[in-house]
Amino acid sequence: MKEIQWWCAAQGIPWTWSWQPYPGVWLAALALFTAYTVILRRSPYARERRNLVIAGYIGVFIVWLSLDWPIGPLGVGYLAFAHSLKFLLISFVATPLMWLPFSPKRSDPATWGGQGATSALLAGVFFNVVLILSHTPLVVDGLAESQLWSFVLDSLWLVAGVLFWRPIVGRNGLPQSMVKVLYIFLGTLSHTGLGMFFLLSRYPHYRVFELAPRVEHLSARVDQALAGALMLLAGTPIVFLILGIVFSQVARAEQAPGVTVR
Amino acid sequence: MTPGFSTVIRLPRAGARLTPFLFLLFLAFGACQREQPVEMKGSRLARPLAKPDVVLTDTAGKAFDFRKETEGKLTLLFFGFTNCPDICPVHLANVADVVDDLSFEQQSNTRVVFVTVDPQRDTPAHMRKWLDNFDARFIGLYGDDETVNRFQDELLLARAVTIPTEGGGYTVGHASQMIAFSPDGLARYVYPFGTRQSDWAHDLPRLFANGKLDAGGHTGNGKLGNVKVVRKEPIRIEKVKMPAPAPGSPGVMYATIINEKEDDALLAVETPVAGRVELHTVEKTPEGHSLMKQVKNIPVPARRLTSLKPGGYHVMLMERTADYAQGQTVPATFVFEKAGRIAVQADVISYGEVEHGASDGADKAHKH
């Protein structure tokens, strides 16, 4: 009999494709939705950009999708591939989408600013520290069975993603396009390295995924290689796609009369 | 101070503060991947086991003489069933991956043998198809209950037991360790569930070498009487006893631990007959009552005998997964903080025998 969990955590029991409720995930998704709506209402620009607002809500929906059944439990207790997918969805897809409705204009109160390059550097460092720490075997294996720690790790991914993408859109973000490219390139280096590491490793690195009951006969080694391939082959194009979208948004804002974009 | 000036000043300071931290993180990550300098990753058997003289039937329907057909080969033997949802497929999949990494010559001299403990459901064709998911070279065997039970008995494994499940079905409780026979025909190490691919990759080449001299210092010429001990074992475990428990009640295990080297601690005990194993001690209350209390570990001081005994430290077997009766033996692995994992066989005895010999009273200084 499967124990009901409030947040997805590794249970070590065979995987079944029967749906499981995760009430904590629903509450968190609802809280995120509410907070996002409140912030959107503070932005006069968001009201004019319905399509981008929809994209932002799709970002919130993707956060929920990646935390709930089946990606959530698969990613914490069964498949390294699902673990990578969850990370990518939250940190590389959902969070930049959530920034889209906001404007880089100084007058958008929703895009609060920090201290320019310094805060961008700290955001980049924080993002990479979270990325590396949350992928160490010590953390993945050690905390996978705890619902509370799984919640903390997932929340950290979300916060790190939001902070990482803020300098691209935020009103006091990085000033020049080339600096932004450099920022994203450097910021995603460890993600690329991690993908390479998984792809080229001979043995599985995570005990929790290596010794978990198999899902659809997928061996632990193939699973890890797929996780690496996903990080490497899917993550990088996603980054460049986001860059393209953000730059077109910046270009549009620059073309608007009487607007100074920093 | 202008914002621009602030930025100029803070950037290098923030960077300087964080660089060593990041460097340490990378080092920590690297350290997690590094192999520990341990000689063998498997659980060492207290004494080597010879291959049993057993003839079963393979998935092609031919008689399979286990001793003869695996002679001179590194043989990994596992008892399981194809409907097993977790342990069997994971164990076999991990072995299959690592066997694939061996040299061609080593692969040619390796046999992975799977003996079903569920012959009712594991038809030869079904077993073949299931094994092919891992490696088409894996050998599947079946036999009558009596032969398979004798096979397990001779390898000191707990016999597989059928456990009814809800809805009228059943599952099978079985020993989860894979037994590794070196080319000399002796098994010195077993690999419980939880053995990782990196552990297998570390040990398999060394198991090939066991015919000459293994990591435990045994010469393996196939004769138990000629086993030569080169390296002194830091910890020996003797008199491992388990009273046959009443139905539905938890089991208990006693033993004598002889520590020849340095202060150590018993951290855990693993056995396939219990879902959960706890370390306990007995304390006296001020009123003079005995109170059983769970402990995190049991200290094993250097050069002393530590007795796990009634009224003192002992091992409690909770959530029993299999029955065992007086006269049988049950495998167990003692996990020490420094000495690592040591596999033993516990003798199942009556409670009457416990009072007269399972333990030897108070802990004693050990004289050489």
Side-chain angles (χ1 to χ4, degrees):
Chain A
M1 187 73 182
K2 216 169 191 178
E3 177 193 332
I4 298 260
Q5 297 183 311
W6 63 274
W7 202 267
C8 312
Q11 286 180 292
I13 57 175
W15 171 258
T16 60
W17 287 102
S18 58
W19 175 81
Q20 296 293 320
Y22 292 99
V25 171
W26 302 340
L27 282 176
L30 185 68
L32 180 66
F33 175 84
T34 309
Y36 190 68
T37 304
V38 168
I39 294 169
L40 270 181
R41 284 189 179 165
R42 289 177 57 202
S43 168
Y45 299 94
R47 282 181 222 132
E48 299 161 13
R49 302 168 164 201
R50 293 213 162 185
N51 288 342
L52 294 180
V53 167
I54 291 170
Y57 277 116
I58 289 174
V60 174
F61 176 72
I62 288 173
V63 172
W64 175 39
L65 195 74
S66 52
L67 296 177
D68 209 337
W69 188 93
I71 299 174
L74 278 174
V76 77
Y78 296 92
L79 295 174
F81 173 76
H83 187 259
S84 294
L85 179 66
K86 189 163 85 162
F87 171 76
L88 277 181
L89 285 175
I90 293 175
S91 303
F92 281 78
V93 180
T95 42
L97 278 176
M98 286 162 63
W99 274 116
L100 281 182
F102 301 109
S103 169
K105 295 171 187 173
R106 288 182 66 82
S107 51
D108 190 340
T111 51
W112 69 94
Q115 292 293 318
T118 307
S119 65
L121 176 76
L122 291 177
V125 168
F126 179 67
F127 180 76
N128 280 279
V129 167
V130 169
L131 168 74
I132 294 168
L133 265 183
S134 64
H135 282 84
T136 54
L138 201 67
V139 171
V140 174
D141 292 336
L143 307 182
E145 287 178 14
S146 160
Q147 295 176 69
L148 180 65
W149 279 109
S150 293
F151 164 74
V152 169
L153 277 183
D154 290 338
S155 304
L156 270 177
W157 281 358
L158 183 66
V159 170
V162 167
L163 291 179
F164 179 70
W165 294 105
R166 192 198 60 79
I168 305 297
V169 178
R171 66 177 184 188
N172 281 326
L174 294 165
Q176 292 164 7
S177 299
M178 283 314 292
V179 179
K180 289 181 178 178
V181 171
L182 188 68
Y183 170 76
I184 292 187
F185 174 73
L186 292 175
T188 54
L189 262 186
S190 51
H191 138 265
T192 310
L194 203 62
M196 290 277 282
F197 183 62
F198 285 163
L199 195 60
L200 301 176
S201 293
R202 178 172 273 189
Y203 306 116
H205 291 287
Y206 302 118
R207 173 186 290 272
V208 65
F209 301 130
E210 184 181 349
L211 301 178
R214 302 320 315 154
V215 177
E216 304 298 330
H217 294 297
L218 196 65
S219 81
R221 209 179 278 196
V222 171
D223 171 42
Q224 182 166 280
L226 285 174
L230 184 75
M231 291 282 257
L232 204 60
L233 302 176
T236 310
I238 287 172
V239 167
F240 283 98
L241 182 70
I242 295 162
L243 267 179
I245 294 170
V246 168
F247 285 155
S248 68
Q249 192 188 359
V250 171
R252 273 202 304 273
E254 281 175 341
Q255 281 163 9
V259 171
T260 307
V261 179
R262 288 196 59 189
Chain B
M1 190 181 283
T2 64
F5 182 70
S6 167
T7 301
V8 170
I9 296 299
R10 289 171 65 180
L11 256 173
R13 281 178 63 196
R17 261 188 246 125
L18 289 163
T19 304
F21 179 58
L22 276 178
F23 180 67
L24 283 174
L25 276 173
F26 274 107
L27 280 182
F29 189 74
C32 292
Q33 312 303 320
R34 213 172 296 140
E35 268 187 353
Q36 297 299 309
V38 178
E39 285 175 333
M40 291 292 271
K41 306 284 186 182
S43 297
R44 195 175 59 244
L45 288 166
R47 61 183 171 86
L49 293 170
K51 275 183 189 164
D53 186 9
V54 171
V55 179
L56 294 168
T57 309
D58 67 15
T59 49
K62 292 179 185 168
F64 189 95
D65 185 326
F66 179 69
R67 200 179 267 179
K68 194 176 154 193
E69 299 278 355
T70 60
E71 191 176 356
K73 311 289 184 192
L74 171 63
T75 307
L76 305 176
L77 174 67
F78 186 61
F79 293 82
F81 66 115
T82 65
N83 278 282
C84 179
D86 38 33
I87 290 171
C88 301
V90 173
H91 229 358
L92 287 173
N94 284 339
V95 167
D97 273 346
V98 179
V99 167
D100 258 353
D101 291 338
L102 296 173
S103 68
F104 176 75
E105 191 189 349
Q106 285 176 327
Q107 287 189 42
S108 309
N109 285 302
T110 301
R111 298 286 180 270
V112 178
V113 178
F114 174 83
V115 179
T116 180
V117 289
D118 183 15
Q120 282 76 25
R121 289 185 293 195
D122 291 345
T123 62
H126 180 69
M127 192 163 33
R128 184 68 268 152
K129 191 179 169 191
W130 186 75
L131 287 171
D132 287 351
N133 285 322
F134 310 109
D135 192 319
R137 295 169 295 185
F138 283 10
I139 297 161
L141 300 179
Y142 63 96
D144 57 74
D145 287 351
E146 191 187 333
T147 310
V148 173
N149 282 339
R150 183 168 63 80
F151 203 176
Q152 294 172 96
D153 290 347
E154 289 193 29
L155 293 169
L156 309 175
L157 295 173
R159 286 183 181 184
V161 289
T162 302
I163 303 161
T165 55
E166 286 174 23
Y170 68 93
T171 187
V172 184
H174 62 93
S176 65
Q177 61 265 53
M178 201 171 279
I179 302 175
F181 291 95
S182 287
D184 63 359
L186 291 178
R188 300 176 184 83
Y189 293 92
V190 295
Y191 294 83
F193 180 69
T195 303
R196 302 188 61 185
Q197 289 193 18
S198 50
D199 299 332
W200 282 116
H202 176 272
D203 279 14
L204 285 185
R206 289 164 176 80
L207 288 168
F208 271 111
N210 272 349
K212 294 168 189 166
L213 183 72
D214 74 359
H218 304 299
T219 53
N221 55 8
K223 294 175 186 170
L224 287 172
N226 287 344
V227 169
K228 180 185 170 190
V229 177
V230 176
R231 187 170 61 90
K232 200 170 189 178
E233 305 299 349
I235 282 185
R236 284 183 289 128
I237 304 170
E238 294 179 354
K239 299 179 187 170
V240 189
K241 310 283 183 189
M242 293 168 63
S249 60
V252 64
M253 187 184 288
Y254 306 117
T256 301
I257 302 170
I258 303 150
N259 186 356
E260 305 272 10
K261 207 175 171 189
E262 56 185 329
D263 288 346
D264 207 329
L266 177 64
L267 303 178
V269 174
E270 299 165 0
T271 175
V273 299
R276 189 161 50 89
V277 179
E278 294 177 357
L279 305 178
H280 281 213
T281 188
V282 176
E283 289 181 351
K284 287 278 183 197
T285 63
E287 295 79 30
H289 302 302
S290 294
L291 188 69
M292 198 160 75
K293 186 182 163 193
Q294 188 179 354
V295 291
K296 282 185 179 174
N297 61 59
I298 295 175
V300 182
R303 289 171 294 283
R304 288 187 72 87
L305 295 179
T306 300
S307 295
L308 311 188
K309 61 193 180 187
Y313 285 119
H314 59 276
V315 179
M316 289 299 293
L317 313 176
M318 323 301 273
E319 298 164 12
R320 280 190 10 243
T321 54
D323 288 327
Y324 43 90
Q326 189 178 347
Q328 287 184 332
T329 55
V330 171
T333 301
F334 282 56
V335 184
F336 292 92
E337 188 179 10
K338 291 173 186 160
R341 305 165 66 86
I342 299 178
V344 296
Q345 296 291 333
D347 295 320
V348 182
I349 56 174
S350 69
Y351 266 100
E353 288 176 81
V354 173
E355 303 301 324
H356 297 102
S359 68
D360 48 2
D363 294 359
K364 301 166 187 172
H366 179 52
K367 291 175 185 173
H368 294 276

